[in-house]
Amino acid sequence: MGKRKGVVLLVLVMMCYAVALVGGYDGDKGRREREEEGDERGRREREEEEEEEEGYDEGGSGGGRRREREEMFLLHEMKSVVRTDAGDMKVVKGFDYEGMIEGVVSEKPIHLGFITMEPKSFFIPQYLDSNLIIFVRRGEAKVGSIYKEDFVEKRLKGGDVYRIGAGSAFYLINTAEGQKLHIICSIDKPSGVGWGTFQSFFIGGGTNPMSVLSGFDSQTLTTAFNVSTSEVRDFLTRQRSGPTMFLSEDLHPPNVWTQFVRLEQHKKLQHLKRMVDLQEAATKEDEEPTWSLSKIFNSVFGKEPNGEDNRGRAPDSYNLYDRKPDFRNNYGWSTAIDKHDYWPLGHSDIGLYLVNLTAGSMMAPHINPTATEYGIVLRGSGTVQVVFPNGTSAMKAKVSEGDVFWVPRYYPFCQIASRMGPFEFFGFSTSARRNRPQFLVGRSSILQSMKGPEFAAAFGVSEQKLTELVDAQQESTILPSASAAPPDVGKNDGEVKRERRRVERVVGRLGKGMIMDFD
């Protein structure tokens, strides 16, 4: 009996020892796994912190990948198309992304023009194969054009928006005393028109630039003008100053276009019409080409290129600075105009917007469901963030005055002002319809209006937790910076940063790999 008890006791001791060994092994294994997981988590957090601190640096393969992403949404390529002592014009080509970015609806690219003119300078008469919407950033101007049978001159000031249709002859004059004229314009081609980015057809000109009239032979020109060959030759070779020239006789001798500007309005109209008559005479014996002066000027003297009469009157300008902002709070304001505000925009199907953010504030993350957006930084500096459909970062780039960026339709994005001062940007959108951006965060966001058990389940949190998170932001559209926002009560800086990173990782996991395709 005693031996049996001893054996049983020995077996129990051995079983306890084995359990202890297994438990110890499992405990060590679990502890090691937890330690490894903690090390991995710490490594990821350190990498995230380093990435935030380094930003988009120039070194390393990671920096190269980030630069490639920036190249997609920042438009760096600026080409000079006009350059004289009197002024210049530079063009940034819009990004033609047809078939390049998965899930993006292809839209015609908008090219952006930047015109600078010295005081008392003149951009000689021309027409384009593209529509122009000009925005006077700074200065004063006079634009002359022909609308139907009438010659129209409009005086423009800073903030004015004005449309010039494709094929419409026009000229520009800087009328401000001692002040440069700065114009930003959108350049978009009517559908079906080729020939590269855009083409200027100079009516005025000589040896630099050559007038389109110079392409006709001497007999045609003498017959059309009813003057001698020498007079025609002198008329078409005197201008050597370039597309932009000074009008002041103190700086340069008078020329034919200086004299043209000083003509009375009815004589200017006769002068331009005479050129149309010349083209008619030149094409009587030959088959009329597809893109003839006659067809182009027919749109000027008769109908607009779209065949409509624009309500029977010449369009006025529209001042963006005088418009009351669509949204304003303590952290900035924004305004946008579409065809309902300025009807000529409907013929180009382009809208405009202007945003001003105070130092450190943010335009809340949002999407544009109706249009691709092009932006130009007018003042200050900040950051533009764009997100891919799968929830990964497409771009996080610092921008400053003069930089041009674009955001495809449907892509989430936001703009954040630097803490150094206000951040102002202006731009064009590829739709003249009323834009109704969908905000993803803030009091007027999708999360706010749709919060409920469905969204809570989608994020894997309780409805109460979702409500607490969504209701924490009291502002909408334009949000305050961290310094302006209420402090996180009961949390130190380290806890706040860790919580922010945790939320970012959760959102990142939810979005990753969620591009849907039916192919």
Side-chain angles (χ1 to χ4, degrees), residues 151-388:
F151 176 75
V152 180
E153 279 189 320
K154 299 287 184 181
R155 291 191 174 271
L156 307 179
K157 61 180 180 179
D160 276 348
V161 175
Y162 191 74
R163 180 183 181 272
I164 301 170
S168 297
F170 73 96
Y171 62 81
L172 284 168
I173 301 175
N174 181 357
T175 57
E177 289 289 336
Q179 184 180 8
K180 284 187 178 182
L181 174 65
H182 295 273
I183 287 176
I184 301 173
C185 57
S186 67
I187 307 168
D188 71 286
K189 286 193 175 187
S191 59
V193 178
W195 301 0
T197 304
F198 76 99
Q199 287 285 335
S200 293
F201 297 78
F202 288 100
I203 302 172
T207 58
N208 177 31
M210 289 184 66
S211 167
V212 291
L213 300 175
S214 300
F216 298 107
D217 59 55
S218 58
Q219 183 177 356
T220 299
L221 292 175
T222 55
T223 301
F225 276 107
N226 195 27
V227 295
S228 66
T229 302
S230 61
E231 287 177 300
V232 170
R233 186 182 300 111
D234 180 64
F235 176 72
L236 292 176
T237 57
R238 290 177 62 186
Q239 180 4 16
R240 297 181 179 87
S241 301
T244 54
M245 65 176 67
F246 289 102
L247 292 176
S248 173
E249 294 184 11
D250 297 334
L251 298 175
H252 298 275
N255 56 58
V256 64
W257 289 108
T258 302
Q259 297 167 15
F260 167 81
V261 170
R262 293 171 182 164
L263 292 175
E264 296 179 3
Q265 280 200 332
H266 71 280
K267 291 184 178 180
K268 289 178 183 176
L269 178 61
Q270 292 173 1
H271 193 85
L272 292 178
K273 277 190 173 183
R274 193 177 186 183
M275 296 177 183
V276 179
D277 295 336
L278 162 67
Q279 197 277 336
E280 294 291 344
T283 55
K284 276 182 179 179
E285 298 180 0
D286 302 320
E287 183 180 353
E288 192 171 345
T290 303
W291 262 87
S292 66
L293 277 173
S294 175
K295 285 189 174 181
I296 293 170
F297 274 89
N298 186 50
S299 71
V300 178
F301 296 118
K303 298 287 186 179
E304 282 279 314
N306 54 24
E308 297 181 16
D309 64 359
N310 281 344
R311 302 186 184 182
R313 57 182 175 83
D316 291 321
S317 61
Y318 185 97
N319 194 275
L320 196 56
Y321 293 157
D322 291 342
R323 177 186 172 93
K324 183 180 179 182
D326 300 314
F327 177 86
R328 180 191 290 272
N329 64 11
N330 293 331
Y331 314 108
W333 53 265
S334 66
T335 188
I337 63 172
D338 53 43
K339 64 182 180 181
H340 301 287
D341 305 301
Y342 183 51
W343 58 265
L345 295 178
H347 297 297
S348 295
D349 197 23
I350 286 179
L352 297 90
Y353 68 89
L354 181 64
V355 178
N356 189 296
L357 305 177
T358 61
S361 64
M362 170 197 298
M363 177 66 77
H366 62 287
I367 63 169
N368 285 328
T370 59
T372 292
E373 183 174 302
Y374 290 81
I376 303 104
V377 180
L378 300 182
R379 182 164 59 108
S381 61
T383 301
V384 179
Q385 295 189 32
V386 185
V387 176
F388 281 127

Side-chain angles (χ1 to χ4, degrees), residues 28-88:
D28 290 342
K29 181 181 178 183
R31 185 163 51 254
R32 284 196 298 271
E33 289 177 348
R34 288 192 297 273
E35 289 174 353
E36 290 173 358
E37 183 180 349
D39 291 343
E40 176 65 18
R41 184 168 59 250
R43 183 184 63 79
R44 287 199 304 268
E45 291 180 356
R46 286 194 298 273
E47 288 179 353
E48 289 172 359
E49 289 176 356
E50 289 172 0
E51 187 173 299
E52 289 176 0
E53 291 173 0
E54 292 174 3
Y56 294 85
D57 56 7
E58 296 297 322
S61 60
R65 286 193 297 272
R66 287 192 292 270
R67 288 196 304 277
E68 289 178 4
R69 286 179 174 179
E70 285 190 15
E71 291 300 321
M72 186 180 294
F73 297 103
L74 293 182
L75 301 176
H76 294 297
E77 188 177 351
M78 183 175 288
K79 182 180 179 181
S80 179
V81 294
V82 171
R83 179 180 293 238
T84 71
D85 292 339
D88 62 71

Side-chain angles (χ1 to χ4, degrees), residues 465-495:
K465 184 65 177 178
L466 176 66
T467 300
E468 291 176 357
L469 181 68
V470 173
D471 289 348
Q473 179 56 261
Q474 298 298 311
E475 300 292 339
S476 68
T477 308
I478 300 178
L479 311 180
S481 65
S483 60
D488 291 86
V489 179
K491 294 184 180 181
N492 57 39
D493 291 341
E495 291 173 331

